[in-house]
Amino acid sequence: MITHGSRRTTPIARTVALAAALTMGLTGFGLTSEAVAEPLTTSPSTTTPAPESGDAGAGAPADENAGTVDARGPGQTPGAVFANRDLPRARMVAGAASGNDYTYWSTGADGKAHLSSALVMVPRGQAPAGGWPIVAWAHGSRGIADKCAPSERPTKEDTTELSTWLSRGYAVVSTDYAGVGTPGTPQYYDLEATARNIVDAVSAARDVSDKLSTSWAVVGEGQGAAAAITLAKLGPQLQRNALDFKGAAATSIPAEFGALLANVGPSTATMPSGIAADALYTLSAIRNARPNLDVDALLTDTGKRWMAKAANECITSFRKDVDGLKIGSLFAKPVSSNTELTDLLMKATELPSRGFAAPVMMTQSLQDTSVVVPLTLKYLNEARADRKATPRTYLVLDAAQSKKLSDDDIRGFIAKVLK
C-alpha cells in the first residue's frame, strides 16, 4: 500500500441553427426574465468571500497555485499514485468492505501534470477471480472550491451512487477532478482533461488496491456524463496500466453547452438554476485558469462578484442562490464578442456524436432542469447513427419514474459490458 506524501498540500459544441433561438434570451426553452439579483457575497471580485456556515475550508476566486503542482513524490507520470491512506469506516458508504483516499497524477487541459484526489471502495464478500470489476462514478458539477471536493464532502447523490454500485458487486472509483481539493485551478470545463482524470484515477486505484480487475466502465451525470461520452470515444487510447475499458453510461447530458455559453450576454434572461450554476462555474474556472482571455472585460461589477461567489460556493447552496438570477445583469458584453474565449468553449466542451470506440448508453429525462432538454434530444438523435451508441429518452411526466427507467437501463448496460 503506497503511503508516500500527504493527502492535500493546499487548502461544448458547434454553433448550430439553434444559436438564433439561444440569442433571443433563450425564451424558447422556458427561460423567463426576472429582476436583477445581487449575490449574497458582496466582497470585491479579487477577494475571497467568507466561507458558508458549516463549510470546511474556503475556495479562492483567484487560485494563487494556478499552473503549479507539488513536485514531491515518485514522479509525475499520469496515473501514478502520489499519496494514499485507508478510509476510516465513518467515511465509507453502505456496502463497502474497505476503501482508500488517494491523490494521483493526471494531465490538465494545459498539457501539464496536475494532482487530483479520488476514492476507491470495494464491496463486501469474496472478490471474483481477477478482482472486482470497476465502475468509475463521474459526478456532475459540485463546485470548483477546494471545500467542494466530493471525496471529502460527497453529496447525497454521490453516496447513493457509490453504495448502489457496491451493492451490485462492483468496486467503485470516484475522482474529484484535478484542482478541486488539490493544488492548481480546476479545469473541468475541458472534457478531455476530465476524461483523462477519470482514466488516471482508475489506473492509480489498481496500484492502491490489489483487489481490482482490469475491466472497468464509467457512469456519469451532468458534467460527468459529458466526460463519460468523451471516454466512449477516447477511453481505449487514454487508458493505462493494462486497463480494459468496456463502456460508458451517461445521463443528464449537457449537449451544446459551449453554444449556450457563447450566446450569453446582456440580453440573456434567467436560466434554470442547474444550468445557471454550471455556466457560472465554467466561466469562473476559465477566468482563473486562463487570465489571458480577460473574462473580466465581459462582466459588470455584479458579474465579477458572482464569479467570485462561484469560485467559493458548492453546488447545493449555489444552485439556490442563482435561482431567478437575471444572467444578463452579469454581462457588459456578449460572450461571443470574445472570439478566443468562444473558440475555447466550443472546442473544450464539444461532445462526440460518432466514432465511438466503446459501447455507450445515453439516457435523458424530459424533466431535467440541469440541461437544455431540446438540445440534448437533438444531440441524441445525431448520436443514434453510431452503432455503438444506445440513446434512451423517457417520455413520462413523472421525474421519479424517469429516474427509475434510466437506472434500470444503465444497470442492465453495465452488467452486460462488465460480465
Side-chain angles (χ1 to χ4, degrees), residues 5-287:
S6 59
R7 172 64 168 80
R8 297 277 196 268
T9 55
T10 62
I12 29 197
R14 300 178 303 276
T15 300
V16 295
L18 288 165
L22 292 169
T23 304
M24 293 189 295
L26 304 169
T27 55
F29 301 117
L31 310 182
T32 58
S33 180
E34 297 288 345
V36 174
E38 289 287 330
L40 300 181
T41 299
T42 56
S43 57
S45 62
T46 55
T47 63
T48 304
E52 301 168 67
S53 177
D55 284 350
D63 191 337
E64 293 179 356
N65 294 300
T68 69
V69 296
D70 189 323
R72 298 175 299 174
Q76 300 181 10
T77 303
V81 180
F82 172 72
N84 169 48
R85 65 187 179 193
D86 292 340
L87 270 179
R89 172 54 58 182
R91 290 188 57 205
M92 283 190 275
V93 303
S98 62
N100 294 80
D101 176 10
Y102 61 98
T103 51
Y104 64 94
W105 291 102
S106 192
T107 305
D110 55 6
K112 298 178 181 179
H114 291 262
L115 280 174
S116 189
S117 46
L119 298 175
V120 57
M121 288 180 251
V122 298
R124 297 174 181 146
Q126 183 69 33
W132 297 107
I134 304 165
V135 169
W137 166 239
H139 61 79
S141 296
R142 299 295 184 254
I144 61 176
D146 286 341
K147 64 182 180 181
C148 305
S151 66
E152 294 201 19
R153 188 178 175 174
T155 65
K156 182 178 180 181
E157 182 173 13
D158 295 325
T159 57
T160 297
E161 286 289 334
L162 296 177
S163 181
T164 295
W165 291 108
L166 285 166
S167 72
R168 294 170 178 171
Y170 304 100
V172 291
V173 171
S174 180
T175 179
D176 295 327
Y177 308 140
V180 180
T182 49
T185 299
Q187 300 178 44
Y188 80 85
Y189 56 86
D190 187 283
L191 293 184
E192 186 171 333
T194 305
R196 289 178 185 276
N197 286 174
I198 296 168
V199 170
D200 294 335
V202 174
S203 181
R206 295 195 68 250
D207 285 336
V208 167
S209 172
D210 59 3
K211 298 179 180 180
L212 305 185
S213 169
T214 58
S215 297
W216 71 287
V218 61
V219 177
E221 64 91 13
Q223 170 199 355
I229 291 171
T230 302
L231 280 170
K233 183 168 185 176
L234 301 179
Q237 70 186 61
L238 295 179
Q239 63 185 354
R240 300 177 176 85
N241 198 22
L243 291 175
D244 186 9
F245 180 61
K246 297 295 190 179
T251 189
S252 187
I253 300 165
E256 300 290 355
F257 189 64
L260 175 67
L261 278 181
N263 283 279
V264 167
S267 63
T268 303
T270 61
M271 298 177 174
S273 59
I275 300 173
D278 282 355
L280 297 189
Y281 280 145
T282 298
L283 290 174
S284 182
I286 293 173
R287 177 183 183 236

